[in-house]
Amino acid sequence: MKNLLYTIIFLFVLSSATAQKVGLVLSGGGARGAAHIGVIKALEENNIPIDYITGTSIGAIIGSLYAMGYTPDEMLELILSDEFGYWQTGEVEYDYIYYFKKPEDTPQFMNFSLNLKDSTLIGGILPGSFISPIQMNQAFMALYAQSTAKAAWNFDNLFVPFRCMGADVYGKKAITFRNGDLGDAVRASMTFPFVFKPIWKDGVPLFDGGIYDNFPIKVMKEDFDPDFILGSAVRGGGLKPSENPMSQIETMIMQKTEYVVPEEDGMLIEMRLPDVFLLDFYKAKEVMQIGYDRTMAIIDTIKARVNREVPLNDVTDRRKAYKESLPPLKFKNIYVTGVTDEQRHYITAQLRRNMDDEFTMEEFRRAYFKMLTYSKIKEIIPSAIYNWKNKTFDLYLSVQVKDEIKVSIGGNISSHQANQLFLGLEYQSLGEISADYNANFQMGNSFSGISLDSRFFPSARIPGYVGVKFAYSNKSYSQSQSLFYEDVVPAFIKQRESLFRFRYGFPFKSNSKMEVFAGLGMLTDYYYQTPSFTNLDFDATKYNLFNTGFRFERNSLNFKQYPTVGRHQLIVAQYVTGKEYYRAGGKRRFNYHRSHEYFRVKGTWQNFPNTKRKFSLGLMGEAVYSNGQFSSNYTSSILNASAFTPTPHSKISFNEAFRANSYIAAGMIPILKLNNAIHFRFEAYGFVPLKEIRKEAYTIGDGQVTYYRARYGDYFRKYEYMGEAAVVLQLPFVSVSLFANGYSYPKHNFNFGLNIGYLIFDSGFFD
């Protein structure tokens, strides 16, 4: 009986050792690689085993996911997810953008940096890669750390043994990844040159494995020697030249690959997908279906050559057990390199407060994006190494700190009087107290000014900043807005402003902030009280003011001008006190003064729904209330009133009909998206003052001189409207708009023009 038992065990072991093994080879090919998911799905449903897997580029991504226990449906879900979209664009989702650290919007559309350690280095005009690595750096660690730990850095110990390929372009050879950090291996294998930033290993940058080996069947044979090899190869449109830039780069970089599986070794499933380009991952579902259908069409042929079956239920149970055995992704020890001791303390403090604290991946992710948002830190490369002693991961952070001055250039090029030039300088420091310093200069027909702004971020339990700002500006309004300066008349209104402001800001969640402020301002208005320009000198009204209050803002708009998605909410409440001085035209001294004391509250709301439809409807509302009294005359009262300026053109146009001390306004913005870059929009707004500011004439002395003073009309007795239609091209660095608009006052007030850039001005005393 004992001999019979030994014989049965021996025969079982012998049959297991000689069981037919199947290897799956996955080619590169960008988004076309979603077809590999369909191939895997068809194989699993038909009980065909996958014992080994090798892949390159997208084949490495799909292969590694399967090797970590992902089902085909889970792989497709990941590729179609918003998270995967952020990886391939480098954009940071709104929930992780720390808006309270963002400086004020400026009209910049390009920047470069001056390295303070090496004056010969100028960078930033062209990025090191088209897609920022900020997302992938943290995402790939989160995705692969647990499987890397369980496998003990040996890819043979994964759910399915795995290999992937990289390219050493300096040594001009392919690299096979068999062990190490799985995330780094896959990241290197898919690093398409110029699109993604390379992974460095032993001082050598590694790129997409498809450069030298886009179909790693040789590695499959050498490392695993399976009984049957099934190859899945995806290709583009063949030899016909493509107009798609990514396809042209792919053709230049990738060396010719033979997609061949010898008859004696197995079979090849080859799919040509000429209409799917490198980053068309939004087509993943239909591409996966192509791979599934192509495999099902030859499934009987595959079954005829693969005798061994593994029921899907067995694979599912084994996959479940594998996932449950993964160590939880929690961190404890932190090791930071590339920084000073003070900087290391600052970075560590962002992640935890006590040395014994553990923290999750989500907590790290929020601190990670917080540290990188508008920061001196250029890049953080995280890696997680499992600590078998304390059953947590040690977090290693390789930090690159930039010691440079950022130089920004921008403004607006216009067919009307809105030509602006912008220059910005920015420097940041990082230590126990981090800080940023900004100097902005603007010059143009409508607005000129200088702004010096600094903010200090102490390392405190409650994040926040202390800021100091000084600004001087000069704004002009002309009666003519004619094209290309034809028949331009002199400005009839000039406003000069000097302000000094102290503020304290702190965040509300991630995309909101609150500021408490106090400031001093000297505002001077120069104006003609009539449009006849008979006087040689302007009248002038000067205000010496103090204000204090708070500003709450929430902003998730996708563009700083002409947004199409997101929400913006703003509340500014302030107490204002000070004196007004008036000087009539031709006089040298201010011969009239009065005191002012009032409250002003302003609220603005914008909402642009995030929809995948081509048509969407944006909504906007604004309300202002002030109990301030009038200034010395009608014109100065109108200039001191709040202005409703929802469009770029309205910001440079003086229109007294859209000014009031208190008002409500609302608008609708239908948007038709022609593609990801171009949209057509129509903006329609209504404006209703609480009480209209009316002009009242009166005379003094012999009655020969007429003056105008301001008086309130009845409640809600007047309304105005404006509308604008525009075709907008949103490029990665600049906005281009062709517009036509009209106002209800004065009559026949229609305008059209072209803007290239941004009409964004520095904030003023009341903003």
Side-chain angles (χ1 to χ4, degrees):
M1 185 69 181
K2 183 180 293 185
N3 292 335
L4 178 61
L5 179 61
Y6 287 151
T7 302
I8 293 173
I9 294 174
F10 174 76
L11 292 174
F12 176 77
V13 172
L14 181 63
S15 64
S16 299
T18 60
Q20 191 179 31
K21 297 293 185 180
V22 178
L24 180 62
V25 180
L26 306 178
S27 76
R32 306 181 195 103
H36 299 324
I37 303 175
V39 173
I40 294 172
K41 183 177 179 67
L43 296 177
E44 281 199 344
E45 289 179 355
N46 287 274
N47 300 331
I48 296 173
I50 301 174
D51 299 296
Y52 313 108
I53 195 162
T54 62
T56 295
S57 194
I58 185 64
I61 296 176
I62 302 300
S64 66
L65 292 175
Y66 189 77
M68 294 193 302
Y70 273 67
T71 67
D73 289 340
E74 288 172 339
M75 286 188 275
L76 179 63
E77 182 182 1
L78 176 62
I79 288 178
L80 291 176
S81 68
D82 290 339
E83 185 179 11
F84 190 86
Y86 291 126
W87 300 355
Q88 62 171 315
T89 61
E91 295 180 2
V92 178
E93 51 266 55
Y94 293 131
D95 288 344
Y96 295 105
I97 296 177
Y98 281 80
Y99 184 69
F100 91 101
K101 296 185 71 176
K102 180 183 178 182
E104 294 183 16
D105 281 338
T106 67
Q108 76 167 64
F109 47 72
M110 66 172 293
N111 61 73
F112 60 91
S113 57
L114 301 176
N115 194 310
L116 296 181
K117 293 182 178 179
D118 186 348
S119 60
T120 64
L121 295 181
I122 298 178
I125 298 178
L126 293 176
S129 59
F130 292 151
I131 296 177
S132 169
I134 184 174
Q135 278 283 7
M136 284 190 176
N137 285 348
Q138 59 85 27
F140 271 54
M141 182 189 73
L143 185 64
Y144 291 102
Q146 292 164 280
S147 290
T148 299
K150 180 173 174 56
W153 292 53
N154 185 340
F155 297 171
D156 286 342
N157 298 331
L158 295 168
F159 175 69
V160 175
F162 170 74
R163 299 289 186 269
C164 66
M165 308 304 296
D168 175 2
V169 295
Y170 284 85
K172 300 188 182 304
K173 61 182 179 180
I175 301 292
T176 302
F177 291 99
R178 299 179 174 88
N179 47 50
D181 188 301
L182 182 59
D184 285 350
V186 176
R187 177 85 175 272
S189 185
M190 54 144 287
T191 298
F192 195 80
F194 307 118
V195 178
F196 300 108
K197 189 174 181 180
I199 291 292
W200 288 74
K201 184 177 181 180
D202 299 328
V204 177
L206 301 181
F207 289 92
D208 194 309
I211 296 176
Y212 299 118
D213 188 354
N214 203 40
F215 188 65
I217 186 173
K218 181 180 178 182
V219 172
M220 175 64 75
K221 291 181 180 180
E222 292 177 349
D223 283 29
F224 301 121
D225 191 25
D227 302 292
F228 181 84
I229 296 175
L230 182 65
S232 177
V234 292
R235 304 178 69 175
L239 299 177
K240 184 179 179 180
S242 171
E243 295 182 359
N244 185 278
M246 287 300 177
S247 293
Q248 294 172 0
I249 294 175
E250 185 179 14
T251 302
M252 288 187 291
I253 292 174
M254 299 300 179
Q255 295 187 7
K256 185 177 180 180
T257 299
E258 296 293 335
Y259 300 100
V260 176
V261 178
E263 176 67 23
E264 65 274 15
D265 293 330
M267 296 176 58
L268 175 68
I269 302 174
E270 186 172 16
M271 291 156 280
R272 288 190 177 272
L273 302 164
D275 297 326
V276 181
F277 298 110
L278 191 68
L279 299 177
D280 287 350
F281 287 100
Y282 66 94
K283 298 179 180 179
K285 187 174 183 179
E286 59 186 86
V287 174
M288 185 204 77
Q289 190 64 41
I290 292 172
Y292 180 84
D293 293 341
R294 182 74 180 89
T295 307
M296 290 300 294
I298 60 171
I299 198 69
D300 291 338
T301 305
I302 298 174
K303 285 183 174 181
R305 298 193 60 184
V306 180
N307 300 319
R308 173 171 159 250
E309 291 189 4
V310 176
L312 181 56
N313 288 338
D314 291 353
V315 176
T316 301
D317 292 342
R318 193 166 64 90
R319 180 183 281 131
K320 180 180 178 183
Y322 174 83
K323 289 183 176 180
E324 289 177 349
S325 68
L326 295 174
L329 189 56
K330 291 187 176 181
F331 303 97
K332 186 174 183 180
N333 298 325
I334 305 171
Y335 302 95
V336 184
T337 60
V339 296
T340 65
D341 289 341
E342 286 187 348
Q343 293 169 346
R344 183 178 296 107
H345 182 270
Y346 169 83
I347 293 170
T348 304
Q350 304 306 307
L351 295 168
R352 66 183 184 190
R353 297 302 167 188
N354 299 311
M355 292 298 293
D356 294 330
D357 287 349
E358 294 182 2
F359 54 97
T360 65
M361 182 63 203
E362 177 61 21
E363 291 172 318
F364 166 71
R365 185 179 285 114
R366 292 197 171 276
Y368 170 84
F369 286 119
K370 178 182 175 182
M371 288 186 286
L372 287 170
T373 301
Y374 311 106
S375 169
K376 186 180 179 70
I377 299 176
K378 186 176 183 178
E379 187 175 9
I380 299 175
I381 302 176
S383 60
I385 299 178
Y386 192 63
N387 189 318
W388 295 93
K389 182 179 180 180
N390 58 31
K391 306 301 182 183
T392 61
F393 283 86
D394 292 340
L395 181 63
Y396 289 80
L397 302 178
S398 176
V399 181
Q400 296 181 23
V401 177
K402 51 190 177 184
D403 190 14
E404 59 191 24
I405 295 177
K406 177 181 173 183
V407 182
S408 302
I409 298 173
N412 191 67
I413 301 171
S414 175
S415 62
H416 56 97
Q417 293 184 59
N419 289 283
Q420 296 288 135
L421 177 63
F422 169 83
L423 174 65
L425 302 175
E426 177 185 350
Y427 178 76
Q428 296 172 320
S429 64
L430 179 64
E432 287 290 338
I433 297 178
S434 60
D436 56 40
Y437 307 89
N438 291 274
N440 295 329
F441 307 87
Q442 282 185 266
M443 181 175 64
N445 306 88
S446 298
F447 182 91
S448 297
I450 179 174
S451 169
L452 304 177
D453 193 3
S454 59
R455 295 185 302 173
F456 303 90
F457 299 84
S459 180
R461 183 173 295 274
I462 299 177
Y465 63 80
V466 176
V468 179
K469 177 179 180 178
F470 167 78
Y472 171 81
S473 65
N474 192 342
K475 193 169 186 178
S476 301
Y477 296 101
S478 299
Q479 284 188 321
S480 171
Q481 294 293 333
S482 58
L483 298 181
F484 300 107
Y485 303 105
E486 294 179 5
D487 302 322
V488 175
V489 296
F492 70 99
I493 293 174
K494 296 181 180 180
Q495 293 184 295
R496 293 179 183 172
E497 180 177 300
S498 300
L499 72 88
F500 176 83
R501 175 171 292 167
F502 173 86
R503 63 194 190 277
Y504 172 71
F506 52 93
F508 269 78
K509 294 186 177 181
S510 60
N511 57 3
S512 307
K513 69 176 178 180
M514 172 78 81
E515 278 190 350
V516 180
F517 63 85
L520 298 173
M522 185 173 73
L523 293 66
T524 306
D525 298 332
Y526 300 92
Y527 52 89
Y528 293 108
Q529 294 199 49
T530 64
S532 60
F533 297 177
T534 55
N535 295 327
L536 295 178
D537 294 311
F538 288 99
D539 285 10
T541 301
K542 181 173 70 173
Y543 304 90
N544 291 336
L545 302 175
F546 167 82
N547 70 346
T548 185
F550 71 87
R551 174 190 178 98
F552 173 82
E553 188 167 16
R554 174 177 296 162
N555 195 337
S556 62
L557 298 178
N558 58 339
F559 299 116
K560 56 188 176 183
Q561 187 168 286
Y562 292 122
T564 58
V565 172
R567 180 177 295 180
H568 179 223
Q569 295 169 285
L570 171 68
I571 299 176
V572 182
Q574 55 189 301
Y575 164 76
V576 183
T577 184
K579 287 191 175 183
E580 169 199 355
Y581 302 88
Y582 170 70
R583 183 195 71 192
K587 303 291 186 180
R588 293 189 175 182
R589 295 184 179 181
F590 291 91
N591 53 14
Y592 170 89
H593 65 88
R594 65 189 305 180
S595 297
H596 288 270
E597 184 178 12
Y598 56 92
F599 293 93
R600 176 183 285 188
V601 181
K602 178 180 179 179
T604 300
W605 174 82
Q606 291 176 285
N607 183 46
F608 297 89
N610 188 0
T611 175
K612 294 183 179 179
R613 298 177 180 177
K614 289 186 175 295
F615 177 82
S616 63
L617 180 64
L619 299 174
M620 185 267 191
E622 184 169 290
V624 174
Y625 173 76
S626 173
N627 64 350
Q629 58 186 332
F630 291 129
S631 298
S632 56
N633 57 68
Y634 170 79
T635 304
S636 60
S637 298
I638 283 290
L639 288 171
N640 194 44
S642 297
F644 178 59
T645 58
T647 65
H649 182 269
S650 63
K651 297 182 189 301
I652 63 166
S653 304
F654 178 78
N655 194 323
E656 58 191 277
F658 292 88
R659 288 175 172 259
N661 287 333
S662 304
Y663 65 79
I664 56 174
M668 293 190 304
I669 306 100
I671 296 173
L672 178 63
K673 300 175 185 177
L674 304 181
N675 55 42
N676 292 334
I678 303 175
H679 74 268
F680 172 81
R681 64 197 289 136
F682 179 76
E683 305 184 40
Y685 301 98
F687 172 87
V688 181
L690 181 66
K691 285 185 177 182
E692 176 194 3
I693 301 177
R694 293 181 174 178
K695 181 188 295 185
E696 181 180 273
Y698 69 97
T699 59
I700 60 174
D702 57 5
Q704 298 299 314
V705 181
T706 301
Y707 294 89
Y708 298 94
R709 58 191 174 196
R711 288 290 182 267
Y712 278 128
D714 296 331
Y715 285 98
F716 301 112
R717 291 300 299 271
K718 186 180 181 182
Y719 67 90
E720 303 290 346
Y721 57 87
M722 71 173 76
E724 180 171 290
V727 178
V728 181
L729 171 63
Q730 294 283 12
L731 297 173
F733 55 92
V734 75
S735 171
V736 181
S737 59
L738 181 66
F739 70 90
N741 62 36
Y743 300 83
S744 58
Y745 177 88
K747 292 183 178 181
H748 311 299
N749 186 0
F750 300 102
N751 309 271
F752 66 94
L754 173 69
N755 285 321
I756 303 174
Y758 302 99
L759 277 174
I760 298 175
F761 306 128
D762 188 48
S763 60
F765 181 77
F766 295 109
D767 296 326

PDB file of all heavy atoms in Angstrom, residues 309-328:
ATOM      1  N   GLU A 309      -5.599  22.762 -19.628  1.00  0.00           N
ATOM      2  CA  GLU A 309      -6.615  23.751 -19.285  1.00  0.00           C
ATOM      3  C   GLU A 309      -6.495  24.135 -17.819  1.00  0.00           C
ATOM      4  O   GLU A 309      -6.180  23.299 -16.968  1.00  0.00           O
ATOM      5  CB  GLU A 309      -8.019  23.215 -19.561  1.00  0.00           C
ATOM      6  CG  GLU A 309      -8.365  23.045 -21.028  1.00  0.00           C
ATOM      7  CD  GLU A 309      -9.830  22.727 -21.241  1.00  0.00           C
ATOM      8  OE1 GLU A 309     -10.585  22.723 -20.239  1.00  0.00           O
ATOM      9  OE2 GLU A 309     -10.226  22.493 -22.398  1.00  0.00           O
ATOM     10  N   VAL A 310      -6.747  25.416 -17.539  1.00  0.00           N
ATOM     11  CA  VAL A 310      -6.818  25.914 -16.162  1.00  0.00           C
ATOM     12  C   VAL A 310      -8.148  26.641 -16.028  1.00  0.00           C
ATOM     13  O   VAL A 310      -8.341  27.702 -16.639  1.00  0.00           O
ATOM     14  CB  VAL A 310      -5.649  26.869 -15.835  1.00  0.00           C
ATOM     15  CG1 VAL A 310      -5.818  27.434 -14.425  1.00  0.00           C
ATOM     16  CG2 VAL A 310      -4.317  26.149 -15.967  1.00  0.00           C
ATOM     17  N   PRO A 311      -9.118  26.072 -15.303  1.00  0.00           N
ATOM     18  CA  PRO A 311     -10.434  26.722 -15.177  1.00  0.00           C
ATOM     19  C   PRO A 311     -10.318  28.148 -14.651  1.00  0.00           C
ATOM     20  O   PRO A 311      -9.472  28.440 -13.791  1.00  0.00           O
ATOM     21  CB  PRO A 311     -11.182  25.814 -14.191  1.00  0.00           C
ATOM     22  CG  PRO A 311     -10.493  24.493 -14.297  1.00  0.00           C
ATOM     23  CD  PRO A 311      -9.051  24.808 -14.564  1.00  0.00           C
ATOM     24  N   LEU A 312     -11.159  29.015 -15.171  1.00  0.00           N
ATOM     25  CA  LEU A 312     -11.139  30.420 -14.761  1.00  0.00           C
ATOM     26  C   LEU A 312     -11.398  30.564 -13.264  1.00  0.00           C
ATOM     27  O   LEU A 312     -10.831  31.450 -12.612  1.00  0.00           O
ATOM     28  CB  LEU A 312     -12.166  31.220 -15.563  1.00  0.00           C
ATOM     29  CG  LEU A 312     -12.260  32.712 -15.263  1.00  0.00           C
ATOM     30  CD1 LEU A 312     -10.911  33.402 -15.441  1.00  0.00           C
ATOM     31  CD2 LEU A 312     -13.310  33.377 -16.156  1.00  0.00           C
ATOM     32  N   ASN A 313     -12.225  29.699 -12.703  1.00  0.00           N
ATOM     33  CA  ASN A 313     -12.488  29.764 -11.262  1.00  0.00           C
ATOM     34  C   ASN A 313     -11.207  29.536 -10.452  1.00  0.00           C
ATOM     35  O   ASN A 313     -10.990  30.170  -9.413  1.00  0.00           O
ATOM     36  CB  ASN A 313     -13.536  28.726 -10.870  1.00  0.00           C
ATOM     37  CG  ASN A 313     -14.923  29.098 -11.359  1.00  0.00           C
ATOM     38  OD1 ASN A 313     -15.198  30.270 -11.632  1.00  0.00           O
ATOM     39  ND2 ASN A 313     -15.795  28.105 -11.477  1.00  0.00           N
ATOM     40  N   ASP A 314     -10.360  28.619 -10.939  1.00  0.00           N
ATOM     41  CA  ASP A 314      -9.095  28.376 -10.238  1.00  0.00           C
ATOM     42  C   ASP A 314      -8.189  29.607 -10.308  1.00  0.00           C
ATOM     43  O   ASP A 314      -7.526  29.966  -9.323  1.00  0.00           O
ATOM     44  CB  ASP A 314      -8.376  27.172 -10.853  1.00  0.00           C
ATOM     45  CG  ASP A 314      -9.103  25.860 -10.576  1.00  0.00           C
ATOM     46  OD1 ASP A 314     -10.074  25.886  -9.793  1.00  0.00           O
ATOM     47  OD2 ASP A 314      -8.706  24.835 -11.157  1.00  0.00           O
ATOM     48  N   VAL A 315      -8.150  30.244 -11.485  1.00  0.00           N
ATOM     49  CA  VAL A 315      -7.352  31.467 -11.641  1.00  0.00           C
ATOM     50  C   VAL A 315      -7.885  32.565 -10.728  1.00  0.00           C
ATOM     51  O   VAL A 315      -7.117  33.277 -10.065  1.00  0.00           O
ATOM     52  CB  VAL A 315      -7.351  31.943 -13.106  1.00  0.00           C
ATOM     53  CG1 VAL A 315      -6.591  33.262 -13.247  1.00  0.00           C
ATOM     54  CG2 VAL A 315      -6.738  30.889 -14.014  1.00  0.00           C
ATOM     55  N   THR A 316      -9.207  32.673 -10.670  1.00  0.00           N
ATOM     56  CA  THR A 316      -9.832  33.704  -9.828  1.00  0.00           C
ATOM     57  C   THR A 316      -9.511  33.479  -8.358  1.00  0.00           C
ATOM     58  O   THR A 316      -9.185  34.429  -7.629  1.00  0.00           O
ATOM     59  CB  THR A 316     -11.354  33.706 -10.042  1.00  0.00           C
ATOM     60  OG1 THR A 316     -11.641  33.961 -11.421  1.00  0.00           O
ATOM     61  CG2 THR A 316     -12.019  34.772  -9.191  1.00  0.00           C
ATOM     62  N   ASP A 317      -9.587  32.235  -7.902  1.00  0.00           N
ATOM     63  CA  ASP A 317      -9.285  31.938  -6.492  1.00  0.00           C
ATOM     64  C   ASP A 317      -7.816  32.216  -6.179  1.00  0.00           C
ATOM     65  O   ASP A 317      -7.488  32.771  -5.125  1.00  0.00           O
ATOM     66  CB  ASP A 317      -9.611  30.475  -6.188  1.00  0.00           C
ATOM     67  CG  ASP A 317     -11.114  30.199  -6.233  1.00  0.00           C
ATOM     68  OD1 ASP A 317     -11.890  31.167  -6.151  1.00  0.00           O
ATOM     69  OD2 ASP A 317     -11.485  29.018  -6.360  1.00  0.00           O
ATOM     70  N   ARG A 318      -6.940  31.812  -7.081  1.00  0.00           N
ATOM     71  CA  ARG A 318      -5.506  32.045  -6.861  1.00  0.00           C
ATOM     72  C   ARG A 318      -5.183  33.534  -6.879  1.00  0.00           C
ATOM     73  O   ARG A 318      -4.354  34.016  -6.094  1.00  0.00           O
ATOM     74  CB  ARG A 318      -4.702  31.308  -7.933  1.00  0.00           C
ATOM     75  CG  ARG A 318      -3.213  31.206  -7.627  1.00  0.00           C
ATOM     76  CD  ARG A 318      -2.535  30.183  -8.520  1.00  0.00           C
ATOM     77  NE  ARG A 318      -2.583  30.571  -9.916  1.00  0.00           N
ATOM     78  CZ  ARG A 318      -1.636  31.318 -10.504  1.00  0.00           C
ATOM     79  NH1 ARG A 318      -0.599  31.752  -9.804  1.00  0.00           N
ATOM     80  NH2 ARG A 318      -1.728  31.613 -11.783  1.00  0.00           N
ATOM     81  N   ARG A 319      -5.858  34.266  -7.769  1.00  0.00           N
ATOM     82  CA  ARG A 319      -5.666  35.723  -7.852  1.00  0.00           C
ATOM     83  C   ARG A 319      -6.135  36.397  -6.568  1.00  0.00           C
ATOM     84  O   ARG A 319      -5.466  37.302  -6.035  1.00  0.00           O
ATOM     85  CB  ARG A 319      -6.433  36.259  -9.063  1.00  0.00           C
ATOM     86  CG  ARG A 319      -6.319  37.758  -9.261  1.00  0.00           C
ATOM     87  CD  ARG A 319      -7.172  38.165 -10.437  1.00  0.00           C
ATOM     88  NE  ARG A 319      -6.538  37.882 -11.712  1.00  0.00           N
ATOM     89  CZ  ARG A 319      -7.112  37.253 -12.728  1.00  0.00           C
ATOM     90  NH1 ARG A 319      -8.354  36.809 -12.619  1.00  0.00           N
ATOM     91  NH2 ARG A 319      -6.465  37.051 -13.854  1.00  0.00           N
ATOM     92  N   LYS A 320      -7.260  35.966  -6.058  1.00  0.00           N
ATOM     93  CA  LYS A 320      -7.784  36.538  -4.817  1.00  0.00           C
ATOM     94  C   LYS A 320      -6.825  36.290  -3.661  1.00  0.00           C
ATOM     95  O   LYS A 320      -6.552  37.196  -2.852  1.00  0.00           O
ATOM     96  CB  LYS A 320      -9.154  35.941  -4.508  1.00  0.00           C
ATOM     97  CG  LYS A 320      -9.782  36.482  -3.234  1.00  0.00           C
ATOM     98  CD  LYS A 320     -11.142  35.846  -2.976  1.00  0.00           C
ATOM     99  CE  LYS A 320     -11.735  36.363  -1.674  1.00  0.00           C
ATOM    100  NZ  LYS A 320     -13.037  35.714  -1.363  1.00  0.00           N
ATOM    101  N   ALA A 321      -6.308  35.079  -3.570  1.00  0.00           N
ATOM    102  CA  ALA A 321      -5.368  34.752  -2.493  1.00  0.00           C
ATOM    103  C   ALA A 321      -4.096  35.588  -2.609  1.00  0.00           C
ATOM    104  O   ALA A 321      -3.537  36.036  -1.591  1.00  0.00           O
ATOM    105  CB  ALA A 321      -5.039  33.257  -2.539  1.00  0.00           C
ATOM    106  N   TYR A 322      -3.635  35.793  -3.837  1.00  0.00           N
ATOM    107  CA  TYR A 322      -2.430  36.602  -4.047  1.00  0.00           C
ATOM    108  C   TYR A 322      -2.658  38.035  -3.566  1.00  0.00           C
ATOM    109  O   TYR A 322      -1.820  38.601  -2.843  1.00  0.00           O
ATOM    110  CB  TYR A 322      -2.056  36.590  -5.524  1.00  0.00           C
ATOM    111  CG  TYR A 322      -0.908  37.526  -5.873  1.00  0.00           C
ATOM    112  CD1 TYR A 322       0.408  37.139  -5.692  1.00  0.00           C
ATOM    113  CD2 TYR A 322      -1.162  38.810  -6.373  1.00  0.00           C
ATOM    114  CE1 TYR A 322       1.459  37.998  -5.997  1.00  0.00           C
ATOM    115  CE2 TYR A 322      -0.131  39.672  -6.682  1.00  0.00           C
ATOM    116  CZ  TYR A 322       1.174  39.263  -6.489  1.00  0.00           C
ATOM    117  OH  TYR A 322       2.196  40.117  -6.786  1.00  0.00           O
ATOM    118  N   LYS A 323      -3.770  38.640  -3.952  1.00  0.00           N
ATOM    119  CA  LYS A 323      -4.035  40.034  -3.584  1.00  0.00           C
ATOM    120  C   LYS A 323      -4.184  40.181  -2.076  1.00  0.00           C
ATOM    121  O   LYS A 323      -3.738  41.179  -1.496  1.00  0.00           O
ATOM    122  CB  LYS A 323      -5.288  40.528  -4.297  1.00  0.00           C
ATOM    123  CG  LYS A 323      -5.109  40.738  -5.790  1.00  0.00           C
ATOM    124  CD  LYS A 323      -6.378  41.302  -6.412  1.00  0.00           C
ATOM    125  CE  LYS A 323      -6.183  41.618  -7.876  1.00  0.00           C
ATOM    126  NZ  LYS A 323      -7.412  42.167  -8.507  1.00  0.00           N
ATOM    127  N   GLU A 324      -4.819  39.190  -1.445  1.00  0.00           N
ATOM    128  CA  GLU A 324      -5.008  39.270   0.005  1.00  0.00           C
ATOM    129  C   GLU A 324      -3.695  39.126   0.754  1.00  0.00           C
ATOM    130  O   GLU A 324      -3.591  39.547   1.918  1.00  0.00           O
ATOM    131  CB  GLU A 324      -5.988  38.186   0.448  1.00  0.00           C
ATOM    132  CG  GLU A 324      -7.429  38.460   0.004  1.00  0.00           C
ATOM    133  CD  GLU A 324      -8.376  37.328   0.384  1.00  0.00           C
ATOM    134  OE1 GLU A 324      -7.863  36.249   0.798  1.00  0.00           O
ATOM    135  OE2 GLU A 324      -9.592  37.513   0.269  1.00  0.00           O
ATOM    136  N   SER A 325      -2.693  38.551   0.114  1.00  0.00           N
ATOM    137  CA  SER A 325      -1.396  38.357   0.773  1.00  0.00           C
ATOM    138  C   SER A 325      -0.474  39.561   0.644  1.00  0.00           C
ATOM    139  O   SER A 325       0.614  39.575   1.231  1.00  0.00           O
ATOM    140  CB  SER A 325      -0.701  37.121   0.199  1.00  0.00           C
ATOM    141  OG  SER A 325      -0.314  37.343  -1.157  1.00  0.00           O
ATOM    142  N   LEU A 326      -0.880  40.563  -0.140  1.00  0.00           N
ATOM    143  CA  LEU A 326      -0.039  41.748  -0.321  1.00  0.00           C
ATOM    144  C   LEU A 326       0.034  42.552   0.966  1.00  0.00           C
ATOM    145  O   LEU A 326      -0.976  42.739   1.649  1.00  0.00           O
ATOM    146  CB  LEU A 326      -0.594  42.620  -1.452  1.00  0.00           C
ATOM    147  CG  LEU A 326      -0.578  42.024  -2.862  1.00  0.00           C
ATOM    148  CD1 LEU A 326      -1.291  42.959  -3.836  1.00  0.00           C
ATOM    149  CD2 LEU A 326       0.842  41.755  -3.322  1.00  0.00           C
ATOM    150  N   PRO A 327       1.195  43.069   1.318  1.00  0.00           N
ATOM    151  CA  PRO A 327       1.299  43.884   2.540  1.00  0.00           C
ATOM    152  C   PRO A 327       0.586  45.219   2.355  1.00  0.00           C
ATOM    153  O   PRO A 327       0.596  45.791   1.263  1.00  0.00           O
ATOM    154  CB  PRO A 327       2.810  44.082   2.704  1.00  0.00           C
ATOM    155  CG  PRO A 327       3.362  43.952   1.316  1.00  0.00           C
ATOM    156  CD  PRO A 327       2.490  42.945   0.618  1.00  0.00           C
ATOM    157  N   PRO A 328      -0.065  45.732   3.400  1.00  0.00           N
ATOM    158  CA  PRO A 328      -0.743  47.032   3.288  1.00  0.00           C
ATOM    159  C   PRO A 328       0.260  48.151   3.017  1.00  0.00           C
ATOM    160  O   PRO A 328       1.385  48.127   3.548  1.00  0.00           O
ATOM    161  CB  PRO A 328      -1.430  47.200   4.643  1.00  0.00           C
ATOM    162  CG  PRO A 328      -0.672  46.311   5.574  1.00  0.00           C
ATOM    163  CD  PRO A 328      -0.188  45.156   4.748  1.00  0.00           C
TER     164      PRO A 328
END
